[in-house]
Amino acid sequence: MVHYHSCRDFDVIGEHILRSEVAIMNTGTAAMDVKKYTMTGMQAQVRGFLFALPFLLLIFGLFRGFLFQRAVLLDMQGIGFTVVMVVIIVLSVPMHEGLHGIGWRIFGKAGKGQIAFRLQGLMPMCSCRAALRPSGYLAGVMMPFLVLGGASLIFLLVYPGTISLLTAVVNFYMAGADIAIAFFVVKSGAELVKDAEEEAGFVAMYRE
């Protein structure tokens, strides 16, 4: 059972604010201090872009500096570009969310029923209902960046072109918010971490 205090504090990270709520959670035999870190949708988009930006710049620099001469460039405008982007996103998003679940299941040792998939609007979402050790939680959070980001980078290096470039951009951009969350998990110094299921963020737990 969670008992929330009436107070609310704010952790200022650069120019952005990470909202937190302080609570006490009784987990079995040990009471734990709980701090909930969440981001609004706009904060997640902005912070995700900022954390993804170094990787996006690296991709564009690599493409322009070393791959452009042998790239297969498609003449896409208007509806053609839109269709390609939609296809890439539709294929990437379910894999991205599925990799979160696989990472939490394998490395976080989350049990059956503790990985939840749902639709939020029209977007598939994955969350972990279990409190995990930070290393296991981070593995699940970073799995899409490592797998999809790595695979799209290899795709770009082997077959440079419009499709592979857009695939890399989409997958690294989507991983930006995950990188931001991973950064704040490490910064929190939590002993256990749990997803904030209805919001972008996590719950950090500390032994009293």
Side-chain angles (χ1 to χ4, degrees):
M1 179 147 183
V2 181
H3 304 282
Y4 286 98
H5 294 293
S6 59
C7 65
R8 176 170 292 191
D9 63 352
F10 297 89
D11 295 328
V12 179
I13 310 297
E15 297 179 355
H16 309 292
I17 294 175
L18 183 63
R19 189 171 72 257
S20 63
E21 297 173 358
V22 181
I24 299 295
M25 175 177 286
N26 191 322
T27 55
T29 58
M32 301 192 78
D33 290 329
V34 174
K35 199 170 187 180
K36 185 179 179 184
Y37 294 87
T38 59
M39 298 180 285
T40 65
M42 181 58 68
Q43 285 175 326
Q45 291 292 328
V46 172
R47 195 169 290 131
F49 172 75
L50 292 175
F51 275 82
L53 185 59
F55 300 98
L56 297 176
L57 293 175
L58 176 63
I59 289 168
F60 283 117
L62 182 66
F63 182 81
R64 187 64 186 174
F66 301 97
L67 304 174
F68 186 78
Q69 294 300 322
R70 61 186 182 92
V72 178
L73 301 177
L74 303 180
D75 184 14
M76 292 189 305
Q77 296 179 359
I79 189 66
F81 178 81
T82 301
V83 169
V84 169
M85 285 297 292
V86 168
V87 170
I88 292 173
I89 292 170
V90 167
L91 292 176
S92 297
V93 170
M95 290 191 289
H96 181 106
E97 296 302 320
L99 284 166
H100 282 314
I102 291 171
W104 287 322
R105 186 77 173 90
I106 295 175
F107 299 102
K109 309 299 183 186
K112 283 188 176 181
Q114 294 179 322
I115 306 297
F117 292 92
R118 69 183 190 282
L119 286 176
Q120 185 168 315
L122 295 176
M123 297 292 287
M125 302 290 290
C126 177
S127 60
C128 182
R129 294 169 175 164
L132 307 177
R133 294 191 179 279
S135 58
Y137 182 79
L138 288 170
V141 169
M142 294 299 291
M143 188 68 76
F145 170 78
L146 296 173
V147 175
L148 291 181
S152 62
L153 183 58
I154 292 172
F155 182 33
L156 179 63
L157 292 173
V158 176
Y159 298 107
T162 304
I163 302 298
S164 57
L165 178 62
L166 292 176
T167 300
V169 168
V170 167
N171 281 291
F172 277 99
Y173 173 76
M174 288 197 306
D178 297 331
I179 300 171
I181 289 173
F183 172 81
F184 294 126
V185 168
V186 173
K187 189 175 185 295
S188 74
E191 295 184 53
L192 293 173
V193 184
K194 181 181 180 295
D195 249 2
E197 296 184 32
E198 300 301 322
E199 302 170 284
F202 62 95
V203 177
M205 303 180 184
Y206 309 86
R207 297 191 189 280
E208 290 186 331

